[in-house]
Coordinates of all heavy atoms in Angstrom, one line a residue:
M1 N 0.9 -1.2 0.0 CA 0.0 0.0 0.0 C 0.9 1.3 0.0 O 1.9 1.3 0.7 CB -0.9 0.0 1.2 CG -1.8 1.2 1.3 SD -2.9 1.1 2.7 CE -4.2 0.2 2.0
K2 N 0.6 2.2 -0.8 CA 1.4 3.4 -1.0 C 0.9 4.4 0.0 O -0.3 4.7 0.1 CB 1.2 3.9 -2.4 CG 2.3 4.8 -2.9 CD 2.2 5.1 -4.4 CE 3.5 5.5 -4.9 NZ 3.4 5.9 -6.3
K3 N 1.8 5.1 0.7 CA 1.5 6.1 1.7 C 1.3 7.4 0.9 O 2.1 7.9 0.2 CB 2.6 6.2 2.7 CG 2.3 7.1 3.9 CD 3.3 7.1 4.9 CE 3.0 8.1 6.0 NZ 4.0 8.1 7.0
L4 N 0.2 8.1 1.3 CA -0.1 9.4 0.7 C 0.5 10.5 1.5 O 0.6 10.4 2.7 CB -1.6 9.6 0.6 CG -2.5 8.7 -0.3 CD1 -4.0 9.0 0.0 CD2 -2.1 8.8 -1.7
P5 N 0.9 11.6 0.8 CA 1.5 12.7 1.6 C 0.4 13.4 2.3 O -0.7 13.4 1.9 CB 2.1 13.6 0.4 CG 1.3 13.2 -0.8 CD 0.9 11.8 -0.6
P6 N 0.8 14.0 3.4 CA -0.2 14.7 4.3 C -0.9 15.9 3.4 O -0.2 16.6 2.7 CB 0.6 15.2 5.5 CG 1.9 15.3 5.1 CD 2.1 14.1 4.0
E7 N -2.0 16.2 3.8 CA -2.8 17.3 3.1 C -2.3 18.6 3.6 O -1.9 18.8 4.7 CB -4.3 17.1 3.4 CG -5.2 18.1 2.7 CD -6.6 17.9 3.0 OE1 -7.0 16.7 3.2 OE2 -7.4 18.9 3.2
K8 N -2.1 19.5 2.7 CA -1.6 20.9 3.0 C -2.7 21.6 3.8 O -3.8 21.7 3.4 CB -1.2 21.7 1.8 CG -0.7 23.1 2.0 CD 0.6 23.3 1.6 CE 1.0 24.7 1.8 NZ 2.1 24.9 2.6
I9 N -2.3 22.2 5.0 CA -3.1 22.9 5.8 C -2.8 24.5 5.7 O -1.6 24.8 6.0 CB -3.1 22.4 7.3 CG1 -3.5 21.0 7.4 CG2 -3.9 23.4 8.2 CD1 -3.4 20.4 8.7
Y10 N -3.8 25.3 5.4 CA -3.5 26.7 5.4 C -4.0 27.3 6.7 O -5.2 27.1 7.2 CB -4.3 27.4 4.3 CG -3.8 26.9 3.0 CD1 -4.5 25.8 2.3 CD2 -2.6 27.3 2.4 CE1 -4.0 25.3 1.1 CE2 -2.2 26.9 1.2 CZ -2.9 25.8 0.5 OH -2.4 25.3 -0.6
N11 N -3.1 28.0 7.5 CA -3.4 28.6 8.8 C -3.8 30.1 8.7 O -3.2 30.9 9.3 CB -2.2 28.4 9.7 CG -2.0 26.9 10.0 OD1 -2.9 26.2 10.1 ND2 -0.7 26.6 10.1
S12 N -4.7 30.4 7.8 CA -5.1 31.8 7.5 C -6.6 31.9 7.2 O -7.2 30.9 6.8 CB -4.3 32.4 6.4 OG -2.9 32.3 6.5
Y13 N -7.1 33.1 7.5 CA -8.5 33.3 7.0 C -8.7 34.8 6.9 O -8.0 35.6 7.5 CB -9.6 32.7 8.0 CG -9.7 33.5 9.2 CD1 -10.6 34.6 9.4 CD2 -9.1 32.9 10.5 CE1 -10.8 35.2 10.6 CE2 -9.4 33.6 11.7 CZ -10.1 34.7 11.7 OH -10.3 35.3 12.9
A14 N -9.6 35.2 6.2 CA -10.0 36.7 5.9 C -11.5 36.7 5.8 O -12.1 35.9 5.1 CB -9.2 37.2 4.7
S15 N -12.1 37.8 6.3 CA -13.5 38.0 6.1 C -13.8 39.5 6.1 O -13.1 40.3 6.7 CB -14.3 37.3 7.2 OG -14.1 37.9 8.4
I16 N -14.8 39.8 5.3 CA -15.3 41.3 5.2 C -16.8 41.2 5.2 O -17.4 40.3 4.8 CB -14.7 42.0 3.9 CG1 -15.1 41.3 2.6 CG2 -13.2 42.2 4.1 CD1 -14.8 42.0 1.4
G17 N -17.3 42.4 5.7 CA -18.8 42.4 5.7 C -19.3 43.8 5.8 O -18.6 44.7 6.2
L18 N -20.5 44.1 5.3 CA -21.2 45.3 5.3 C -22.6 45.2 5.8 O -23.3 44.3 5.3 CB -21.1 46.0 4.0 CG -21.7 47.4 3.9 CD1 -20.8 48.4 4.7 CD2 -21.6 47.8 2.4
G19 N -23.0 45.9 6.8 CA -24.3 45.7 7.4 C -25.2 47.0 7.3 O -24.9 47.9 6.5
N20 N -26.3 47.0 8.0 CA -27.2 48.2 8.1 C -26.4 49.4 8.6 O -25.5 49.4 9.4 CB -28.3 47.9 9.0 CG -29.2 46.8 8.6 OD1 -29.2 46.4 7.4 ND2 -29.9 46.1 9.5
Y21 N -26.8 50.5 8.1 CA -26.3 51.9 8.5 C -24.7 51.9 8.2 O -24.0 52.5 9.0 CB -26.5 52.1 10.0 CG -28.0 52.1 10.3 CD1 -28.5 51.1 11.2 CD2 -28.9 53.1 9.9 CE1 -29.8 51.0 11.5 CE2 -30.2 53.0 10.1 CZ -30.7 52.0 10.9 OH -32.0 51.9 11.3
N22 N -24.3 51.3 7.2 CA -22.9 51.3 6.8 C -21.9 50.8 7.9 O -20.9 51.3 8.1 CB -22.5 52.7 6.4 CG -23.1 53.2 5.1 OD1 -23.4 52.3 4.2 ND2 -23.2 54.4 4.9
N23 N -22.4 49.8 8.7 CA -21.5 49.1 9.5 C -20.5 48.2 8.7 O -21.0 47.5 7.8 CB -22.2 48.1 10.5 CG -23.1 48.9 11.5 OD1 -22.7 50.0 11.8 ND2 -24.2 48.3 11.8
A24 N -19.2 48.4 8.9 CA -18.2 47.6 8.2 C -17.4 46.7 9.1 O -17.2 47.1 10.2 CB -17.3 48.5 7.4
L25 N -17.0 45.6 8.6 CA -16.2 44.6 9.3 C -15.2 44.0 8.4 O -15.5 43.7 7.3 CB -17.1 43.5 9.8 CG -16.4 42.2 10.2 CD1 -15.6 42.4 11.6 CD2 -17.3 41.0 10.3
A26 N -13.9 44.0 8.9 CA -12.8 43.4 8.2 C -12.0 42.6 9.2 O -11.7 43.1 10.3 CB -12.0 44.4 7.4
D27 N -11.7 41.3 8.9 CA -10.9 40.5 9.8 C -10.0 39.7 9.0 O -10.3 39.1 8.0 CB -12.0 39.7 10.6 CG -11.4 39.1 11.9 OD1 -10.3 39.6 12.3 OD2 -12.1 38.4 12.5
F28 N -8.7 39.6 9.5 CA -7.7 38.8 8.9 C -6.8 38.1 10.0 O -6.6 38.7 11.0 CB -6.8 39.7 8.0 CG -5.6 39.0 7.4 CD1 -5.7 38.1 6.4 CD2 -4.3 39.2 8.1 CE1 -4.6 37.4 5.9 CE2 -3.2 38.5 7.6 CZ -3.4 37.6 6.5
Y29 N -6.5 36.8 9.7 CA -5.6 36.2 10.6 C -4.6 35.2 9.8 O -5.2 34.6 9.0 CB -6.4 35.3 11.7 CG -5.6 34.4 12.5 CD1 -5.0 34.9 13.6 CD2 -5.5 33.1 12.2 CE1 -4.2 34.0 14.4 CE2 -4.7 32.2 12.9 CZ -4.0 32.7 14.1 OH -3.3 31.9 14.9
T30 N -3.4 35.1 10.3 CA -2.5 34.2 9.7 C -1.5 33.7 10.7 O -1.3 34.4 11.7 CB -1.8 34.7 8.5 OG1 -1.1 33.7 7.8 CG2 -0.8 35.8 8.9
S31 N -1.1 32.5 10.5 CA -0.1 31.9 11.5 C 0.9 31.1 10.7 O 0.6 30.4 9.8 CB -0.8 30.9 12.4 OG 0.0 30.3 13.4
S32 N 2.2 31.2 11.2 CA 3.3 30.5 10.4 C 4.3 29.9 11.5 O 4.6 30.6 12.4 CB 3.9 31.5 9.5 OG 5.0 30.8 8.9
A33 N 4.8 28.8 11.2 CA 5.8 28.2 12.1 C 7.1 28.8 11.7 O 7.6 28.6 10.5 CB 5.8 26.6 11.9
L34 N 7.9 29.3 12.6 CA 9.3 29.8 12.4 C 10.3 28.7 12.5 O 11.2 28.6 11.8 CB 9.5 30.9 13.3 CG 8.7 32.2 13.2 CD1 9.0 33.2 14.3 CD2 8.8 32.8 11.9
N35 N 10.1 27.8 13.5 CA 10.9 26.6 13.8 C 10.0 25.7 14.6 O 8.8 25.9 14.8 CB 12.2 27.0 14.3 CG 12.2 27.8 15.7 OD1 11.3 27.4 16.5 ND2 13.0 28.7 15.9
R36 N 10.7 24.7 15.2 CA 9.9 23.7 15.9 C 9.2 24.2 17.2 O 8.2 23.8 17.5 CB 10.9 22.6 16.3 CG 10.2 21.5 17.0 CD 11.2 20.4 17.4 NE 10.6 19.4 18.2 CZ 11.0 18.2 18.3 NH1 12.0 17.8 17.7 NH2 10.4 17.4 19.1
D37 N 9.8 25.3 17.8 CA 9.4 25.7 19.1 C 8.6 27.1 18.9 O 8.2 27.6 20.0 CB 10.5 25.8 20.1 CG 11.0 24.5 20.4 OD1 10.2 23.5 20.4 OD2 12.3 24.4 20.6
E38 N 8.7 27.8 17.9 CA 8.2 29.2 17.8 C 7.2 29.3 16.6 O 7.5 28.7 15.6 CB 9.3 30.1 17.6 CG 10.2 30.2 18.8 CD 11.5 31.2 18.6 OE1 11.9 31.3 17.5 OE2 11.9 31.8 19.6
R39 N 6.2 30.2 16.8 CA 5.3 30.4 15.8 C 5.1 32.0 15.7 O 5.3 32.7 16.6 CB 3.9 29.9 16.1 CG 3.8 28.4 16.1 CD 2.4 27.9 16.2 NE 1.8 28.1 14.9 CZ 1.9 27.4 13.8 NH1 2.8 26.4 13.8 NH2 1.3 27.7 12.7
L40 N 4.7 32.5 14.5 CA 4.4 33.9 14.3 C 2.9 34.0 14.0 O 2.4 33.3 13.0 CB 5.2 34.4 13.2 CG 4.9 35.9 12.7 CD1 5.2 36.8 14.0 CD2 5.7 36.3 11.6
D41 N 2.1 34.6 14.8 CA 0.6 34.8 14.6 C 0.4 36.3 14.3 O 0.9 37.2 15.1 CB -0.1 34.3 15.8 CG 0.0 32.9 16.0 OD1 0.2 32.1 15.1 OD2 0.0 32.5 17.2
L42 N -0.4 36.6 13.3 CA -0.8 38.0 13.0 C -2.2 38.1 12.8 O -2.9 37.3 12.1 CB -0.2 38.4 11.7 CG -0.5 39.8 11.2 CD1 0.1 40.8 12.2 CD2 0.2 40.0 9.8
S43 N -2.9 39.1 13.5 CA -4.3 39.2 13.5 C -4.6 40.7 13.3 O -4.1 41.5 14.1 CB -4.9 38.7 14.7 OG -6.4 38.9 14.7
L44 N -5.5 41.0 12.3 CA -5.9 42.3 12.1 C -7.4 42.5 12.0 O -8.0 41.5 11.4 CB -5.3 43.0 10.8 CG -3.8 42.9 10.7 CD1 -3.4 43.2 9.2 CD2 -3.2 43.9 11.6
N45 N -8.0 43.4 12.7 CA -9.5 43.5 12.5 C -9.9 45.0 12.5 O -9.2 45.8 13.1 CB -10.2 42.7 13.6 CG -9.9 43.1 15.0 OD1 -9.7 44.2 15.3 ND2 -9.9 42.1 15.9
H46 N -11.1 45.3 11.9 CA -11.5 46.6 11.8 C -13.1 46.5 11.9 O -13.7 45.8 11.2 CB -11.1 47.2 10.5 CG -11.7 48.6 10.3 ND1 -11.4 49.7 10.9 CD2 -12.8 48.9 9.5 CE1 -12.2 50.7 10.5 NE2 -13.0 50.2 9.7
H47 N -13.6 47.4 12.9 CA -15.1 47.4 13.0 C -15.4 48.9 12.9 O -14.8 49.7 13.7 CB -15.6 46.9 14.3 CG -15.2 45.5 14.5 ND1 -16.1 44.4 14.2 CD2 -14.0 44.8 14.9 CE1 -15.5 43.3 14.4 NE2 -14.3 43.5 14.8
S48 N -16.4 49.3 12.1 CA -16.7 50.8 12.1 C -18.3 50.9 11.9 O -18.9 50.0 11.4 CB -16.0 51.5 11.0 OG -16.3 51.1 9.7
S49 N -18.8 52.1 12.3 CA -20.2 52.3 12.2 C -20.5 53.8 11.9 O -19.8 54.7 12.6 CB -20.9 51.9 13.5 OG -22.3 52.2 13.3
R50 N -21.2 54.1 11.0 CA -21.7 55.5 10.7 C -23.1 55.5 11.0 O -23.8 56.3 10.3 CB -21.3 55.9 9.3 CG -19.9 55.9 9.1 CD -19.4 56.4 7.7 NE -20.4 57.0 6.9 CZ -20.4 57.2 5.6 NH1 -19.4 56.7 5.0 NH2 -21.3 57.8 5.0
G51 N -23.7 54.8 11.9 CA -25.1 54.7 12.2 C -25.6 55.8 12.9 O -24.9 56.7 13.3
K52 N -27.0 55.8 13.1 CA -27.6 56.9 13.9 C -27.8 56.6 15.3 O -27.8 55.5 15.7 CB -29.0 57.1 13.2 CG -28.9 57.5 11.7 CD -30.3 57.6 11.1 CE -30.0 58.0 9.7 NZ -31.3 58.1 9.0

């Protein structure tokens, strides 16, 4: 039986949205292994509202 290589996993996501009264949402996250014991994680988010 032939062994299959492991499936590639992406450690990132991004989302954007627009709601009532011009509410805006933007969200981004990514993670990367620097070496066996250390990781670099980055997260950015934005929420705004021009509502009444």
